[in-house]
Structure formats: C-alpha cells, structure tokens
Amino acid sequence: MINEILHIGLYDLVLQDVQKIVGKEKPTKEELEEALKKEPQILRDYMQTNVEYNLSNIHLKNIEIKNLDTSVKEKAKKINNNLNIMREIEKYTLDFEHSSTLVLIFSVEFFVLFSVQYFIVLLDLKAWQWWIYAFFSLSILGAWWYAKKEQKKYQVNSAKYKALYEETLNLIEALETEGHIKKKELYIDESDEHI
C-alpha cells in the first residue's frame, strides 16, 4: 500500500494529503507510515479509491492448500472462503453516503424531475400536471425506499466484512504461529494483482 501511494498516480490525492501532513514533497516510506498512524483518514481514502476503481483492498493471495498438512486444510479452506467472500462484499465497506449507489439514485431522480418539467412545459400538458407531479412524488418515495434498502445492505455487509476480517486474521495468525504458513508469502506485492 505504501509503495502504491508513493509511486502510482491513481493515489495522487492521497499522496497530497500525506505531503501536507509530512511537510515534504517526496515523503519516505517511514514518513508515510508515521502519517498513517497520525491520520487514519489516509487509509480510508486509499481504500475508498480502490473500491471506486474496482480494485481490491485485500492484499493477500489465497493459501495454496495442496502443500499443507491434512490437519490444517480445513482452516486454510475457511481462510480462502473468507477472503473470497470479503472480495465480493468489500464494495459495501464504504459509507453509503459516499457510495456510487447513492449517486445513481440521485441521478435517476434528477432525470425524472427533468422529464416532469419537460412533459408539463414543453408538451403543454398543464391539464395533467397534478398527475405528473403525483408520479414524481411517487418516484421520490420509491427512491427513498430503495435508498433505505441499499443503506441496510451496506450496513449488513459491512458488519459481515468486519467479522470475516477478524476471523480470517485470527486463523492466519494461528496457522503462522503453528508454522504451517508464512503471512509474508501471502502478500500481494504487485499492484495489478489485486484488481
């Protein structure tokens, strides 16, 4: 993550925040690490950038199960399953208020409002305007209901993601402590591998 922030243009806005905190144009890895400790918002911005560009924030490969002892294969399968689920639902880890779903809902409502005005003014449907406004009101109600439904989905999946994250981290640490895996070997170093 540190290498990506320092060297990949996609994260220039995150880097600019780091530069302000550090007070240097070219911060070192150590300075970036210190900035992350001081300002957790940097990590959230990095993660949001990834999700917005359909990149994964999970920088771990699945465990190669065939090389493991039979006694730990179930734990390794559980880790791999958790990682796969987390990759699927990580788009829900963002705040709903900052999601593309909410932008889409507002865009549709703006289109409906524009259409309402078009029908009434340009097509001279003033006799029907109350019916048209009633339709617009129903569309607002529908958009509100859909937004609430999606917000709930974000909350449920975000909580599920956090629980899976903790469980997976504990399982990985247990397998590493027992000497079955090395966490460093699971890290994805290449930025194009976590797409």
Side-chain angles (χ1 to χ4, degrees), residues 94-110:
L94 296 177
D95 291 334
F96 179 70
E97 292 77 22
H98 298 112
S99 70
S100 59
T101 305
L102 195 58
V103 171
L104 179 64
I105 292 169
F106 280 126
S107 298
V108 168
E109 276 308 297
F110 180 76

Side-chain angles (χ1 to χ4, degrees), residues 19-193:
Q19 290 168 336
K20 288 176 190 172
I21 293 167
V22 174
K24 290 171 66 177
E25 190 171 319
K26 295 192 181 225
T28 64
K29 290 180 181 181
E30 294 77 20
E31 290 169 332
L32 176 53
E33 199 170 333
E34 278 300 311
L36 282 167
K37 289 176 186 172
K38 288 180 188 173
E39 295 290 331
Q41 184 61 37
I42 295 169
L43 179 59
R44 287 192 291 271
D45 291 344
Y46 168 83
M47 293 173 75
Q48 181 165 340
T49 300
N50 281 342
V51 172
E52 288 172 356
Y53 285 92
N54 293 321
L55 301 173
S56 178
N57 283 310
I58 301 168
H59 291 79
L60 291 177
K61 301 174 196 169
N62 285 3
I63 297 173
E64 191 66 45
I65 294 177
K66 65 181 177 183
N67 300 331
L68 295 176
D69 295 336
T70 310
S71 62
V72 296
K73 283 189 178 185
E74 285 306 311
K75 283 184 182 177
K77 285 179 183 177
K78 180 68 174 161
I79 291 168
N80 289 347
N81 186 49
N82 286 359
L83 288 172
N84 290 336
I85 292 170
M86 288 166 56
R87 287 182 189 110
E88 287 177 25
I89 64 173
E90 73 179 314
K91 65 184 170 191
Y92 298 107
T93 58
L94 296 177
D95 291 334
F96 179 70
E97 292 77 22
H98 298 112
S99 70
S100 59
T101 305
L102 195 58
V103 171
L104 179 64
I105 292 169
F106 280 126
S107 298
V108 168
E109 276 308 297
F110 180 76
F111 175 74
V112 171
L113 175 62
F114 178 77
S115 298
V116 165
Q117 289 302 102
Y118 175 77
F119 284 124
I120 292 171
V121 177
L122 296 177
L123 296 179
D124 197 28
L125 296 175
K126 290 183 182 172
W128 295 87
Q129 73 182 356
W130 292 112
W131 289 105
I132 295 170
Y133 283 131
F135 171 75
F136 178 62
S137 298
L138 284 175
S139 76
I140 290 174
L141 184 62
W144 176 83
W145 172 81
Y146 182 73
K148 286 295 183 187
K149 180 181 161 195
E150 287 297 303
Q151 186 177 30
K152 181 71 173 168
K153 186 191 293 185
Y154 271 74
Q155 290 170 345
V156 167
N157 283 314
S158 181
K160 182 178 180 180
Y161 183 93
K162 288 175 185 173
L164 285 172
Y165 177 83
E166 290 299 322
E167 179 186 20
T168 306
L169 189 60
N170 290 334
L171 287 169
I172 289 172
E173 287 174 0
L175 288 182
E176 186 175 38
T177 302
E178 296 168 6
H180 297 290
I181 63 169
K182 293 181 182 174
K183 192 164 37 172
K184 285 190 175 188
E185 292 176 0
L186 298 178
Y187 290 149
I188 297 174
D189 293 326
E190 300 291 323
S191 60
D192 62 346
E193 277 191 55

